[in-house]
Amino acid sequence: MEPTFSPRRVARAIGVSESSLKRWADDGRLSVHRTVGGHRRIHRAEALRFVREAGLQVRRPDLLGLPNPSVPTDGSGRAREGGDPAATLYDLLTACHPRGVHAFLLDLYMSGMPVAAICDGPIREAMSRIGELWKCERERGIVVEHRATSALLQGVASLRSVVTHAPQEGLEHRVRPVVLGGSPTGDPYLMPSILTAWVLAEAGFADINLGPETPAEAFVSAIDDHKPAIAWIACSVPDARPSTNDLKDVLKALAPHGGSLVIGGRGFSADPPPPLPRMSFCATMSDIHGFTAALRELDAAPGN
């Protein structure tokens, strides 16, 4: 269950007066609910949403059950402060420090950086650098990459557990339209779909991640069951790229409810499939974010 806090505790956490916080709640800028006894309570995710949108800071993360952003990278060193975000994240990942990764990603998110920018910037740069280690020290590089991936997976999962996104009216006028996706058979990578799901969640969608090694038939079955507004296929292995017929089968399953297909990853960029109706290629997470924004604008246009 998501934790809730009193206005006094939230006010102390962000360094403002309790009266200011109550005024913002009365003005409708901050959502609160009341207990059976009539006391005001604020969900943590709602407090974080307000702080981020208002340009404030969480000065006492511990009061909201959050980690301190200044965390050690290992037993002796500390994460770089005020430096390059990718370099700081690299330090935390190579030290296999999931709690530090969580705290640092939360710090970036609360500073106002969009999820897509976090994925395309610090995460991509740090993981690309880690992926090059095996060229110099193959065995050690593989171990470091696997441990870093584990730390990043845990850090992202922890962050998503404390940050939820405000519902938005989306496609087909549903409050939280469903999106689903994964990676095809022969592609074992977890991270691309996890980051894609995170970006789509920030855009206001309810995400279903099918994970790696998902056959085309499973995509079609999941689409039939959940009727998503968007399906995604992330392919990092060129040899695992779905055939054109597989892509057509997925699009056919999406057609009855007007769904769209987004594809991306090295597997597609190396050898792009032929253009197909309602299918878009996105090279970056920012492309995916832009695609969803354009889709919502199209849906909101007169006559739709």
Side-chain angles (χ1 to χ4, degrees):
M1 181 179 295
E2 183 186 352
T4 62
F5 304 98
S6 67
R8 176 177 296 181
R9 189 181 183 97
V10 173
R12 288 177 58 206
I14 64 178
V16 300
S17 67
E18 185 178 359
S19 60
S20 293
L21 198 76
K22 289 182 176 179
R23 183 174 66 253
W24 292 329
D26 292 339
D27 291 343
R29 297 177 61 191
L30 177 65
S31 178
V32 301
H33 72 277
R34 293 186 181 273
T35 65
V36 175
H39 300 291
R40 298 192 194 202
R41 304 292 290 181
I42 302 169
H43 286 284
R44 178 169 61 188
E46 171 61 12
L48 295 180
R49 179 204 63 77
F50 172 74
V51 168
R52 186 171 187 252
E53 292 184 1
L56 301 172
Q57 291 183 327
V58 179
R59 301 184 182 279
R60 290 283 307 278
D62 58 299
L63 293 178
L64 299 181
L66 300 172
N68 192 307
S70 297
V71 293
T73 58
D74 53 33
S76 58
R78 298 189 71 82
R80 305 179 191 183
E81 296 181 9
D84 175 28
T88 299
L89 184 58
Y90 174 87
D91 287 347
L92 293 165
L93 290 172
T94 53
C96 194
H97 197 311
R99 185 172 175 82
V101 172
H102 171 201
F104 185 66
L105 293 179
L106 177 62
D107 199 35
L108 292 178
Y109 179 80
M110 293 305 297
S111 73
M113 183 179 288
V115 169
I118 295 173
C119 295
D120 288 339
I123 290 178
R124 173 178 282 190
E125 292 174 29
M127 290 303 295
S128 294
R129 183 179 169 192
I130 289 170
E132 294 293 313
L133 292 177
W134 68 271
K135 293 182 179 179
C136 300
E137 302 177 72
R138 179 173 174 79
E139 289 75 15
R140 177 180 176 275
I142 291 173
V143 171
V144 171
E145 183 175 8
H146 286 186
R147 296 186 72 217
T149 299
S150 176
L152 183 56
L153 288 170
Q154 293 178 63
V156 170
S158 296
L159 179 55
R160 286 203 60 181
S161 73
V162 300
V163 177
T164 57
H165 305 290
Q168 301 178 21
E169 286 193 354
L171 308 173
E172 302 179 47
H173 309 292
R174 291 175 292 178
V175 173
R176 282 180 63 83
V178 173
V179 293
L180 65 80
S183 297
T185 300
D187 186 340
Y189 291 99
L190 296 165
M191 192 58 64
S193 277
I194 285 176
L195 297 182
T196 299
W198 188 20
V199 170
L200 290 168
E202 186 190 37
F205 294 91
D207 60 286
I208 299 173
N209 183 5
L210 303 178
E213 300 280 2
T214 303
E217 296 81 2
F219 275 104
V220 170
S221 177
I223 290 168
D224 288 341
D225 289 342
H226 299 285
K227 298 176 174 52
I230 300 171
W232 80 82
I233 299 177
C235 183
S236 301
V237 180
D239 290 343
R241 195 195 78 173
S243 68
T244 300
N245 285 336
D246 286 342
L247 295 174
K248 287 181 177 179
D249 287 343
V250 171
L251 286 165
K252 183 178 179 180
L254 288 164
H257 52 276
S260 300
L261 175 63
V262 171
I263 61 173
R266 294 189 303 272
F268 288 113
S269 58
D271 185 16
L276 295 172
R278 302 191 327 280
M279 183 179 78
S280 299
F281 173 76
C282 291
T284 66
M285 295 298 167
S286 295
D287 287 347
I288 293 175
H289 180 79
F291 173 82
T292 62
L295 211 55
R296 278 198 299 269
E297 289 180 7
L298 181 63
D299 183 67
N304 290 334

